[in-house]
Amino acid sequence: MLLDNLKTLLLLPAAIRGIVAASTAASSSTACNNSPSLCNIAYNDISYLGAHDSPFVRDAATSYSISGNQYYNSTVQLSAGVRLLTAQVQRATNNALHVCHSSCDLLDAGTLSSWLSEVRTWIDANPNDVVTILIVNGAAATVTELERQYQKAGIDSTLAYTPNSNHAAQQAWPTLQTLIDSGTRLVNFVDYITPDPAVPWIMEEFRYIFENNYDVSTLDGFSCAANRPATAVNNLSKALANGVMPLMNHFVYTDAGLGIQSPNAANASYTNSRASLGSAATTCTQEYGRAPAFILVDFFNVGPAIATVDRLNNVTNPVGRKRVSTASMTQDSAATKATRKWTLGFCCLAVLLVCGVS
Ligand SMILES: *[C@@H]1O[C@H](CO)[C@@H](O)[C@H](O)[C@H]1NC(C)=O
Ligand SMILES: *[C@@H]1O[C@H](CO)[C@@H](O)[C@H](O)[C@H]1NC(C)=O
Ligand SMILES: *[C@@H]1O[C@H](CO)[C@@H](O)[C@H](O)[C@H]1NC(C)=O
Ligand SMILES: *[C@@H]1O[C@H](CO)[C@@H](O)[C@H](O)[C@H]1NC(C)=O
């Protein structure tokens, strides 16, 4: 009797372990954007977490710039599950296209091509993922100028997705698996641009996407109403026509004085919480009759922003994401870390000294 029980105990777990191991291996090898359940869903029927102003990082390298919208760079954002990156493009003093926040005097994160290279490096290393870039064209750059920056980063139509030829909103987008199989895993939009038939993969945002208001400066100031393009203001049936995808902005500005608006970091854990982001997503899903395709946040790691997107996508067991701290990153927190290291070092030294003496 005892022996039988022992046998059962020893044998059963092994069998279960085998099954679990097999299913884990199968699912992780077929996950698309962190989940096997998303592979066969059309691109436009999925919700993507977006890092607003992705290259503008508030860390030691920028002296914790109050213009920074994120605490971690685009590489870390993508590895943590972000799949939409937005960036403002402005002209630096030499007229070159840089990613800058409002003005290159305020926060200059380098050339557009070097940021695109960073994104391409990540995409190359992650062959089962589809990423979207949305450029805010503060420089009024032409398609040709932007294409040159993409080319410098090694990106052309072999990696970029090319839509149907008439530059119109399209009802039928490929599934993630189709995009992955054809290698076209980067989808590119620019907010204001005159499309160029020679470079169809640089898409004019508002033919495919509408947005709610992005200029919100109170914690409860969000609305699902269509705000851009101008032709669809406050008219959801018009905004949603022809399969146009909703982009839900959900971040707050704070007045930094001198007329400068800066991202509200102090309230990020509230803004990205289930109570704020989660309930806005639910409300907008009801109003739109579909989930927002893109949800754009500041400080993506603070608060459970990605949990809201997983819920909309019915994803319960995401795979392959790298965890990132959920804390805010400030000069104070960096200083605390340094103090902690120093304290630890001091304690070790003290222990060594005491042990050596005794
Ligand atoms: C992004 O940040 C991580 C750590 O925060 C760092 O290790 C990595 O080098 C950075 N990558 C780029 C391309 O700057
Ligand atoms: C909204 O747009 C639709 C379709 O273009 C139009 O028929 C309708 O009159 C508009 N509604 C309002 C309130 O403007
Ligand atoms: C927003 O931040 C301010 C300043 O830190 C704080 O006093 C307030 O309680 C916060 N509100 C919420 C809802 O998190
Ligand atoms: C998630 O489930 C809802 C409700 O059944 C459905 O409408 C939606 O299309 C699903 N989303 C995805 C990405 O599977």
Side-chain angles (χ1 to χ4, degrees):
M1 186 61 192
L2 190 69
L3 198 67
D4 278 355
N5 280 346
L6 256 179
K7 263 188 202 161
T8 316
L9 274 175
L10 288 172
L11 289 176
L12 250 184
I16 291 169
R17 268 201 307 276
I19 294 164
V20 170
S23 69
T24 308
S27 63
S28 58
S29 67
T30 57
C32 306
N33 286 19
N34 303 125
S35 177
S37 67
L38 297 179
C39 294
N40 294 321
I41 300 188
Y43 170 85
N44 61 324
D45 286 337
I46 295 169
S47 301
Y48 304 92
L49 179 63
H52 175 230
D53 282 339
S54 167
F56 308 142
V57 179
R58 201 179 278 221
D59 66 1
T62 63
S63 306
Y64 304 93
S65 168
I66 60 157
S67 293
N69 300 70
Q70 303 294 337
Y71 290 121
Y72 294 94
N73 62 34
S74 304
T75 303
V76 173
Q77 292 161 20
L78 290 166
S79 295
V82 165
R83 288 293 174 275
L84 163 71
L85 308 176
T86 74
Q88 285 179 33
V89 174
Q90 307 283 353
R91 289 191 199 272
T93 40
N94 59 358
N95 219 33
L97 294 177
H98 280 218
V99 280
C100 297
H101 200 169
S102 308
S103 138
C104 292
D105 296 329
L106 209 55
L107 179 54
D108 185 343
T111 61
L112 173 57
S113 65
S114 68
W115 178 65
L116 291 171
S117 292
E118 179 184 346
V119 177
R120 205 209 72 185
T121 300
W122 190 90
I123 293 176
D124 286 349
N126 293 274
N128 255 27
D129 290 271
V130 174
V131 172
T132 302
I133 286 178
L134 168 55
I135 288 177
V136 174
N137 193 4
T142 64
V143 166
T144 309
E145 282 181 292
L146 292 177
E147 185 195 19
R148 208 169 295 138
Q149 297 288 310
Y150 274 99
Q151 277 171 345
K152 275 192 189 167
I155 299 169
D156 60 21
S157 63
T158 58
L159 183 63
Y161 168 71
T162 301
N164 58 18
S165 56
N166 59 2
H167 289 292
Q170 52 184 43
Q171 313 269 4
W173 286 78
T175 63
L176 290 188
Q177 191 65 60
T178 302
L179 290 168
I180 289 164
D181 291 345
S182 57
T184 51
R185 299 182 292 112
L186 180 61
V187 183
N188 300 277
F189 298 105
V190 180
D191 62 349
Y192 297 107
I193 193 107
T194 305
D196 181 345
V199 193
W201 53 268
I202 295 186
M203 294 180 268
E204 186 188 11
E205 178 192 0
F206 294 117
R207 293 187 182 224
Y208 305 91
I209 293 171
F210 78 90
E211 297 192 16
N212 65 346
N213 182 22
Y214 67 88
D215 194 6
V216 171
S217 50
T218 58
L219 296 186
D220 57 358
F222 297 107
S223 158
C224 301
N227 182 258
R228 291 190 299 164
T231 50
V233 174
N234 294 333
N235 190 332
L236 280 181
S237 64
K238 197 165 186 184
L240 284 157
N242 305 315
V244 170
M245 298 175 275
L247 184 154
M248 188 182 111
N249 291 296
H250 197 87
F251 45 86
V252 182
Y253 288 103
T254 195
D255 185 1
L258 302 170
I260 296 174
Q261 288 206 311
S262 69
N264 182 336
N267 295 112
S269 66
Y270 173 73
T271 304
N272 293 342
S273 68
R274 286 179 174 82
S276 178
L277 181 69
S279 78
T282 301
T283 306
C284 293
T285 300
Q286 281 160 0
E287 290 192 23
Y288 301 160
R290 56 152 297 166
F294 307 100
I295 289 188
L296 198 55
V297 301
D298 281 338
F299 311 108
F300 84 92
N301 61 301
V302 182
I306 202 146
T308 286
V309 173
D310 285 339
R311 173 169 65 78
L312 296 176
N313 285 331
N314 315 310
V315 166
T316 46
N317 287 304
V319 294
R321 283 187 193 148
K322 283 194 189 134
R323 279 178 189 279
V324 49
S325 161
T326 53
S328 302
M329 205 196 282
T330 62
Q331 203 143 16
D332 292 346
S333 66
T336 311
K337 266 184 214 156
T339 311
R340 236 183 265 134
K341 265 189 202 153
W342 187 87
T343 312
L344 196 67
F346 181 79
C347 290
C348 290
L349 188 69
V351 167
L352 278 177
L353 283 176
V354 170
C355 292
V357 167
S358 63

